[in-house]
Amino acid sequence: RMLNEVLTKTRAQVEEKRLTFEVTIPEKLPEPKIDKDKMATVLVNLLGNAIKYTPAGGRVAFRVHATDQSLEISVEDTGVGIAEDELARVFDKFFRSEDPRVQEQKGTGLGLALVQEVVRLHGGRVSVESEIDKGSTFQIVLPIA
């Protein structure tokens, strides 16, 4: 239910930018012990960033996969991407890319720091892969138990 609420909160932004929105969520998922409100904030943040930094007509994908040990959630976009020399700093408080396309968007540089902290407090990890002008993929891995 939490995942569907997150998707509902972001769908208007997706439609406004005419983005292709791919959603892959298995019918049955294990229920990890998480603070659903905090995790919803994390996912809205990641999806919001993907939508914000993807040009109109681009693609955003939200995928959930479960294993015996973990719940894996990824948010992938075809947005502006993150420079290789900035990747190590994207989770730092108040960090914002120097890219003019990022600077023209509103932001505090706190969202990804919050994402990392909430995921860490849940015993999980978050990672990012990105390439300028190709997009970014953020992945969260949360333990089931």
Side-chain angles (χ1 to χ4, degrees):
R1 188 172 16 156
M2 181 212 41
L3 296 173
N4 287 322
E5 288 171 12
V6 166
L7 296 174
T8 300
K9 284 182 182 178
T10 56
R11 197 165 299 277
Q13 295 169 282
V14 168
E15 291 170 1
E16 188 177 306
K17 288 186 84 173
R18 295 185 175 91
L19 300 174
T20 300
F21 195 33
E22 299 172 4
V23 177
T24 307
I25 301 174
E27 277 189 39
K28 282 200 157 232
L29 283 172
E31 294 238 3
K33 290 184 184 328
I34 59 172
D35 181 319
K36 289 181 174 53
D37 290 337
K38 284 184 175 59
M39 199 52 64
T41 299
V42 161
L43 298 176
V44 166
N45 186 294
L46 289 178
L47 279 168
N49 281 353
I51 295 162
K52 183 176 8 177
Y53 298 115
T54 298
R59 180 181 60 80
V60 172
F62 180 76
R63 296 188 176 96
V64 180
H65 174 75
T67 70
D68 290 341
Q69 292 85 28
S70 64
L71 187 64
E72 300 167 3
I73 302 167
S74 67
V75 176
E76 178 184 328
D77 65 58
T78 57
V80 300
I82 304 163
E84 190 174 336
D85 63 329
E86 293 182 335
L87 276 174
R89 297 174 36 218
V90 295
F91 296 107
D92 293 351
K93 284 183 183 173
F94 304 111
F95 174 77
R96 296 207 64 222
S97 173
E98 296 296 323
D99 189 313
R101 298 170 294 181
V102 173
Q103 290 294 318
E104 71 186 21
Q105 300 289 334
K106 289 182 183 171
T108 61
L110 289 172
L112 292 176
L114 171 76
V115 165
Q116 184 179 50
E117 185 63 9
V118 169
V119 170
R120 184 190 67 78
L121 289 171
H122 282 83
R125 66 185 187 278
V126 61
S127 60
V128 60
E129 292 178 10
S130 188
E131 194 174 332
I132 288 289
D133 297 325
K134 299 243 168 131
S136 303
T137 301
F138 285 83
Q139 182 170 31
I140 294 172
V141 179
L142 296 169
I144 296 291

